[in-house]
């Protein structure tokens, strides 16, 4: 269970998005232009087809493939691979074959695109940070939050401002891709891309063009600085994943409720003690808001660990993950001291995987009330293998159902209270989702 | 009782011999032959023995307090040398000799053909006792001296030749057997076994031991002959159908070795049962690599007798994870889950315990075992063996290297808090450590992910400070609270 989701799904998801993007941006991927296949490519394509077919047969969580006659699919598909005239055609045939499974997390990833997202081992973003966390709202990259006292804050950057360009490069081309890819995962990729553009060597300047609430464009330059420790952002690496900036934040809201936010389920040696310390501080608080918006998941078992701070009864579980050869229960292990107050969890389209497992499970158990908008619906762990023809093949390793039997994949976690954040609210310094959760805690207290 | 005596290879053993000769001058010690012939004489005489061609004994072994039956068998032997034993306890099994073939068949491990010395001893023990037996089987028997057994002066007779070191003590005054000892041969190795006679019974003119205080290794029990029938009308001494089938396959070169023999060979090749019996402590350090994620961590394990162990794993990005037991409290602690007292049912599921009994007394944990096939695994010829645990958990499949005898791969379901987790462990490399072969590179495959453990240092039987196994105070507090909570539960 070690970080399978994090280590596999994220880069794969990025690849898939790029695959989709590539369909609309032929100019960016000229290498995808159909080309005549060499005999070697034809052989490799046939081998690749067999690998894909066998992998589905042997690894699909449902050994019966939902009643699909997979051998017949093989026999009808192989001639099409044999007769394919281009790599694109091979991919189309394989994709059509996988579509018969009617399941997510099955995809063929063109080998050329690996170059575009980079090798997972490529150097990570450098340590310098401007203190800005970007979010995508609609078709705009918006400043989601600004680290207090950071160079960005001192230079006048405020939440809600639109990021128009970074170091002279307009963000519009990347954002336009979102016209075609409206799902949250694509937004997250663009967010990550914007975040990477903002990062760079510490003590070096970054130049931003931002649009304020009046629609005026301002040119602002300031120096990046070293993050001020984990609470403000820490670079962490987990296995093959690119280095990621990990944030943890906890504070008391004006009326006493506690607020905790971290951006990924990574680095448990750092996050879990901070989480525990924060809850101890909130011991007398009427409630706690756990903000999982934009949190794409990470190390799956951290969901069980976090849940253990809120559940004091043995034998509870968040849900079950069914694999071909085993069913793993996401059992909750109560901590020596648990928090008994109200718990509100915030989610949005960027809350995926471990975030959904945690939020969905605690919702099912009646322990948490969920606020925000429906989560990503991307809870499955998946794996990716390189095929003999150089392409990648993503396949699901398991299915996941929440404690109440709900299938999270594709459906996501549906909030108890639907609240959508707006740029106007950000500009006004408001977080509508936090406000709704806070109001519920106050009313629960009453 | 002579029928029971033929069961000596598995349960107790006896050698009851007769003698028709009288001793010579009072001060002259008798020969071993004279002592054995006298025994035949005092137990009924050669004529009485000659009148019997078949004997069936119903025998029962109980713990010394009489509460538990540890052995129940119907044993039939014949003068022809053929024999058959139908065993009910400790397991449903049969064994015997038929036309020179020494066989065993059990629910536990299927058919096994005894070969070599084990076969020779089984055949020797299976003969119905008569005075001619010792001359045929133990012609070089010698008197080894005089000893006192239970206050009774006895002649100590070495039955020779006997690779199992058969020794019998006969009362100087009565000529009757007082004690017998030997080594029991089996796939599990040589085990000292024997008995002293507590009561005698006479049936159809022959006097035989009826109640015995027996031992096998450190285990003592009381053996009773419930009934003896001489020359029964109907007796079938042929081997059963499954043995016949096995022998046909054997002749065709298609028979697979018995699974017990395969497992015992691994024990022997990796260090021998003596090593596992003497193993007191172990410390292993090495690296743990999650291959798909390209993560390398470190792992250190300490273990000692009494179920004590401590394991520290440090994985970048996950932090330090500890797991241990002081023999009473099993626990774990990690940044993700926090401190925890492990449920008893999973206490040793993934922990490293040093339990030599688990290795050499593996039969206690297993209901039955079978060799399923000979197959090629990673360029190795292996025997595939299926073990069915007694606790009802999923079968374990193991592959043993045919050439080296060592375990190469094991597929099992490990019981975890999250459910049964299927694992495949491949023992890719063994390293010589303190004259034993220790698995130094182990690949663990779970849910399609490979993890590689590479041992860097292995220390065996070196002193380990007991403080290593101490339960941390916060875990102790948790255990105390748990116990308190359980004690007030309705």
């Amino acid at each position: 269970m070690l970080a399978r989701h994090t280590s596999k799904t994220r880069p794969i998801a990025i690849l898939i998005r790029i695959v989709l993007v590539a369909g609309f941006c032929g100019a960016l991927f000229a290498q995808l232009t159909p080309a005549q296949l060499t005999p070697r490519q034809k052989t490799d394509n046939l081998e690749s087809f067999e690998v894909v077919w066998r992998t589905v047969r042997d690894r699909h969580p449902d050994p019966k493939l939902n009643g699909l006659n997979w051998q017949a699919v093989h026999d009808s598909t192989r001639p099409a691979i044999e007769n394919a005239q281009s790599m694109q055609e091979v991919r189309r045939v394989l994709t059509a074959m996988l579509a018969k499974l009617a399941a997510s997390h099955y995809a063929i990833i063109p080998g050329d695109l690996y170059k575009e997202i980079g090798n997972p081992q490529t150097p990570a973003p450098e340590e310098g940070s401007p203190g800005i966390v970007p979010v995508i709202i609609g078709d705009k990259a918006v400043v989601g939050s600004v680290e207090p006292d950071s160079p960005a804050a001192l230079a006048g950057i405020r939440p809600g401002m639109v990021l128009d360009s970074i170091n002279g490069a307009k963000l519009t081309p990347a954002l336009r891709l979102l016209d075609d890819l409206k799902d949250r995962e694509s937004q997250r990729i663009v967010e990550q891309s914007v975040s990477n553009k903002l990062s760079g060597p510490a003590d070096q300047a970054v130049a931003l063009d931002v649009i304020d609430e009046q629609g005026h464009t301002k040119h602002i330059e300031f120096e990046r600085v070293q993050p001020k420790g984990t609470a403000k952002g820490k670079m962490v690496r987990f296995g093959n994943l690119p280095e990621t900036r990990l944030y943890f934040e906890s504070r008391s809201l004006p009326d006493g409720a506690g607020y905790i936010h971290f951006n990924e389920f990574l680095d448990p040696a750092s996050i879990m003690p901070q989480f525990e310390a924060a809850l101890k501080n909130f011991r007398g608080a009427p409630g706690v808001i756990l903000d999982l918006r934009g949190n794409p998941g990470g190390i799956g078992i951290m969901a069980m660990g976090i849940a253990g701070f809120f559940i004091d009864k043995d034998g509870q579980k968040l849900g079950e993950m069914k694999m071909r050869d085993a069913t793993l229960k996401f059992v909750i292990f109560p901590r020596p001291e648990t928090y008994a107050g109200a718990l509100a969890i915030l989610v949005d389209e960027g809350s995926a995987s471990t975030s959904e497992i945690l939020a969905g499970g605690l919702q099912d158990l009646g322990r948490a009330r969920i606020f925000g908008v429906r989560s990503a619906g991307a809870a499955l762990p998946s794996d990716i293998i390189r095929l003999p023809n150089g392409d990648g093949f993503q396949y699901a390793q398991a299915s996941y159902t929440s404690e109440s039997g709900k299938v999270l994949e594709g459906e996501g976690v549906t909030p108890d209270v639907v609240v959508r954040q707006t740029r106007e609210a950000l500009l006004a310094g408001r977080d509508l989702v936090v406000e709704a959760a806070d109001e519920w805690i106050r009313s629960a207290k009453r | 009782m002579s029928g029971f005596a033929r069961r000596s290879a598995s349960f107790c053993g006896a050698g009851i011999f007769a003698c028709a000769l009288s001793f010579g001058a009072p001060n002259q010690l008798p020969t071993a032959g004279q002592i054995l012939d006298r025994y035949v004489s005092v137990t009924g005489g050669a004529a009485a023995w000659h009148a019997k061609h078949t004997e069936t004994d119903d025998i029962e072994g109980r713990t010394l307090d009489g509460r538990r039956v540890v052995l129940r068998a119907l044993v039939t032997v014949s003068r022809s040398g053929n024999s058959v034993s139908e065993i009910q306890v400790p397991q449903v099994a049969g064994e015997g000799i038929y036309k020179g073939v020494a066989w065993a068949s059990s629910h536990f491990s299927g058919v096994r053909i005894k070969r070599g010395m084990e076969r020779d001893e089984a055949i020797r023990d299976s003969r119905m006792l008569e005075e001619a037996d010792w001359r045929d089987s133990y012609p070089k028997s010698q008197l080894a001296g005089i000893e006192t057994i239970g206050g009774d002066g006895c002649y100590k007779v070495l039955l020779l030749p006997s690779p199992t070191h058969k020794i019998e003590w006969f009362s100087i005054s009565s000529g009757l057997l007082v004690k017998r000892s030997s080594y029991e041969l089996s796939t599990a190795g040589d085990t000292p076994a024997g008995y002293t006679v507590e009561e005698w019974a006479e049936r159809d003119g022959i006097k035989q031991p009826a109640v015995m205080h027996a031992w096998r290794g450190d285990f003592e029990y009381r053996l009773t002959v419930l009934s003896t029938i001489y020359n029964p009308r109907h007796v079938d001494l042929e081997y059963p159908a499954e043995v016949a089938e096995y022998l046909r396959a054997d002749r065709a070169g298609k028979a697979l070795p018995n699974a017990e023999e395969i497992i015992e060979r691994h024990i022997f090749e990796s260090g021998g049962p003596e090593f596992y019996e003497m193993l007191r402590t172990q410390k292993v350090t090495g690296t743990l690599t999650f291959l798909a994620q390209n993560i390398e961590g470190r792992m250190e394990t300490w273990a000692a007798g009494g179920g004590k162990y401590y394991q520290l794993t440090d994985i970048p990005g996950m932090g330090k994870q500890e797991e241990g037991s002081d023999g009473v409290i099993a626990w774990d602690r990690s940044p993700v889950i926090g401190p925890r007292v492990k449920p008893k049912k999973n206490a040793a599921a993934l922990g490293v315990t040093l339990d030599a009994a688990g290795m050499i007394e593996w039969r206690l944990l297993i209901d039955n075992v079978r060799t399923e096939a000979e197959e090629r695994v990673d360029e190795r010829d292996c025997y595939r063996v299926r073990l069915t645990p007694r606790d009802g958990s999923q079968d374990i499949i193991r592959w043993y290297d045919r050439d080296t005898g060592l375990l190469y791969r094991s597929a099992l379901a490990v019981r975890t808090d999250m459910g049964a987790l299927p694992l495949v462990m491949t023992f890719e490399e063994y390293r010589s450590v303190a004259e034993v072969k220790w698995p130094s590179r182990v690949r663990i495959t779970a849910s399609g992910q490979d993890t590689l453990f590479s041992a860097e240092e292995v220390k065996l039987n070196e002193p380990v400070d007991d403080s290593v196994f101490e339960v941390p105070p916060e875990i102790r507090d948790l255990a105390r609270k748990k116990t308190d909570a359980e004690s007030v539960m309705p």
Side-chain angles (χ1 to χ4, degrees), chain B residues 258-460:
Chain B
N258 180 271
E260 280 189 85
E261 293 172 336
I262 293 172
I263 294 170
E264 291 297 336
R265 185 180 168 210
H266 164 79
I267 294 171
F268 179 79
E269 295 291 350
S270 62
E274 300 80 8
F275 159 70
Y276 291 107
E277 280 170 7
M278 295 303 293
L279 187 57
R280 295 291 176 265
T281 66
Q282 73 181 49
K283 181 190 176 190
V284 182
T285 58
T287 58
L288 197 61
T289 308
F290 299 85
L291 296 173
Q293 291 92 353
N294 192 30
I295 296 170
E296 182 176 299
R298 291 201 59 77
M299 189 161 91
E300 300 182 11
T301 64
W302 289 260
K308 294 176 183 175
Y309 73 93
Y310 175 71
Q311 180 173 301
L312 174 64
T313 312
D314 192 355
I315 301 170
M318 289 290 288
K320 288 183 178 172
Q321 298 171 72
E322 299 169 283
E323 186 175 345
S325 171
D326 63 351
V328 180
I329 299 170
W331 60 277
D332 59 21
R333 182 165 62 174
S334 70
V336 175
I337 301 299
R340 199 166 63 100
V341 176
K342 290 173 79 173
K344 280 181 184 163
K345 63 186 168 89
N346 296 338
L350 283 171
V352 179
T353 57
L354 187 146
D355 187 356
M359 173 62 89
I360 54 179
E361 299 289 351
W362 59 272
R363 290 172 179 80
L364 299 174
L365 309 173
I366 299 299
D367 179 72
N368 67 79
V369 58
R370 290 289 185 281
T371 310
E372 292 191 322
E374 182 179 345
E375 59 192 21
R376 202 128 170 97
V377 181
D378 297 346
E379 307 295 311
R380 293 162 194 258
D381 291 319
C382 292
Y383 293 120
R384 189 178 76 220
V385 174
R386 177 182 293 270
L387 299 94
T388 303
R390 281 177 195 265
D391 64 5
S393 57
Q394 202 169 307
D395 284 2
I396 301 163
I397 312 292
R398 289 181 181 170
W399 288 262
Y400 289 88
D401 190 307
R402 195 186 64 179
D403 296 330
T404 66
L406 294 169
L407 176 64
Y408 178 63
R409 180 168 289 169
S410 181
L412 66 162
V414 177
R415 197 178 287 170
T416 74
D417 297 312
M418 296 178 74
L421 179 66
L423 287 183
V424 175
M425 301 175 76
T426 302
F427 302 90
E428 294 184 337
E429 183 183 278
Y430 285 83
R431 186 192 300 168
S432 290
V433 179
E435 298 181 355
V436 302
K437 293 190 178 76
W438 194 266
S440 54
R441 194 172 70 230
V442 184
R443 182 180 297 265
I444 303 155
T445 306
S447 304
Q449 307 277 318
D450 278 359
T451 305
L452 192 65
F453 175 72
S454 298
E456 290 174 350
E457 185 181 56
V458 178
K459 290 184 176 177
L460 305 176

Side-chain angles (χ1 to χ4, degrees), chain A residues 41-55 81 87 90 94 97 108 385-391 393:
Chain A
Q41 279 180 307
K42 288 186 175 179
T43 306
D44 288 346
N45 285 337
L46 273 174
E47 278 183 34
S48 301
F49 159 72
E50 293 293 346
V51 169
V52 169
W53 184 83
R54 274 201 310 271
T55 304
I81 298 289
M87 290 300 292
V90 169
L94 288 176
M97 179 175 84
I108 300 296
I385 54 174
R386 293 299 288 270
L387 297 171
N389 66 4
D391 282 358
F393 170 45

Side-chain angles (χ1 to χ4, degrees), chain A residues 90-146:
Chain A
V90 169
R91 289 170 193 137
R92 273 198 300 274
V93 172
L94 288 176
T95 302
M97 179 175 84
L98 295 171
K100 295 180 195 297
L101 295 167
S104 63
H105 289 71
Y106 285 89
I108 300 296
I109 301 151
D112 297 331
L113 296 179
Y114 281 93
K115 297 171 193 163
E116 299 305 322
I117 73 151
N119 185 317
Q121 305 281 12
T122 48
E126 294 178 66
E127 280 288 341
S129 163
I132 294 173
V133 177
V135 295
I136 302 300
I137 296 179
D139 59 355
K140 293 182 173 62
V142 176
V143 176
S145 62
V146 181

Side-chain angles (χ1 to χ4, degrees), chain A residues 356-401:
Chain A
E356 295 180 286
I357 287 170
L358 176 60
L362 289 179
Q363 184 185 39
D364 286 352
L365 291 170
R367 180 63 187 89
R369 192 163 174 83
I370 312 297
F371 294 79
V373 294
R374 198 163 71 177
S375 65
L380 288 190
S382 63
D383 207 347
I384 188 167
I385 54 174
R386 293 299 288 270
L387 297 171
N389 66 4
D391 282 358
F393 170 45
Q394 181 201 15
Y395 63 93
Q397 293 178 322
S399 63
Y400 183 85
T401 50

Side-chain angles (χ1 to χ4, degrees), chain A residues 63-279:
Chain A
K64 294 180 180 171
L65 300 181
N66 201 24
L68 187 64
N69 185 339
W70 197 234
Q71 185 60 51
V73 170
H74 173 278
D75 297 345
S76 63
T77 307
R78 188 177 164 99
I81 298 289
E82 288 170 339
N83 297 326
Q85 297 300 308
S86 67
M87 290 300 292
Q88 285 76 8
E89 191 176 347
V90 169
R91 289 170 193 137
R92 273 198 300 274
V93 172
L94 288 176
T95 302
M97 179 175 84
L98 295 171
K100 295 180 195 297
L101 295 167
S104 63
H105 289 71
Y106 285 89
I108 300 296
I109 301 151
D112 297 331
L113 296 179
Y114 281 93
K115 297 171 193 163
E116 299 305 322
I117 73 151
N119 185 317
Q121 305 281 12
T122 48
E126 294 178 66
E127 280 288 341
S129 163
I132 294 173
V133 177
V135 295
I136 302 300
I137 296 179
D139 59 355
K140 293 182 173 62
V142 176
V143 176
S145 62
V146 181
E147 187 179 315
D149 303 324
S150 67
L154 297 174
I157 302 286
R158 294 193 304 282
M161 285 182 164
V162 172
L163 289 163
D164 189 46
S165 71
I166 300 173
N167 289 331
K170 287 274 187 186
L171 297 178
T172 319
L175 293 166
R176 275 192 191 138
L177 300 178
L178 296 173
D179 291 342
D180 301 304
L181 302 168
K182 294 192 182 303
D183 61 289
R184 175 59 200 173
E185 181 63 22
S186 304
Q187 291 184 356
R188 206 189 65 76
I189 293 165
V190 177
E191 275 173 12
Q192 185 68 44
S193 163
V194 173
S195 183
N196 288 348
K197 284 183 169 70
L198 288 166
S199 298
D203 304 325
Q204 279 196 11
V206 59
L208 303 183
D209 287 322
V210 296
I211 302 170
D212 67 12
E213 49 270 56
Q214 282 81 42
H216 299 145
T217 300
K218 291 182 177 175
H219 183 80
I220 300 176
E221 280 191 40
F222 53 90
E223 283 189 351
R224 301 181 181 98
V225 292
Q226 291 278 358
K228 297 173 187 172
T230 308
K232 305 300 180 192
K234 171 190 176 186
M235 301 308 292
V236 298
R237 181 185 283 281
F238 189 71
N240 282 332
L241 284 177
E243 208 165 17
T244 304
R245 188 175 300 282
L246 185 63
Y247 293 89
F248 183 91
E249 177 190 6
S250 71
R251 56 189 157 89
S252 290
L253 298 179
D255 58 0
Y259 173 86
I260 298 175
H261 168 239
F262 55 94
N263 63 329
E264 295 203 36
F265 286 84
L266 288 175
D267 196 15
S270 159
I271 292 291
M272 301 304 279
Q274 290 184 87
F275 198 95
E276 185 172 14
L279 277 186

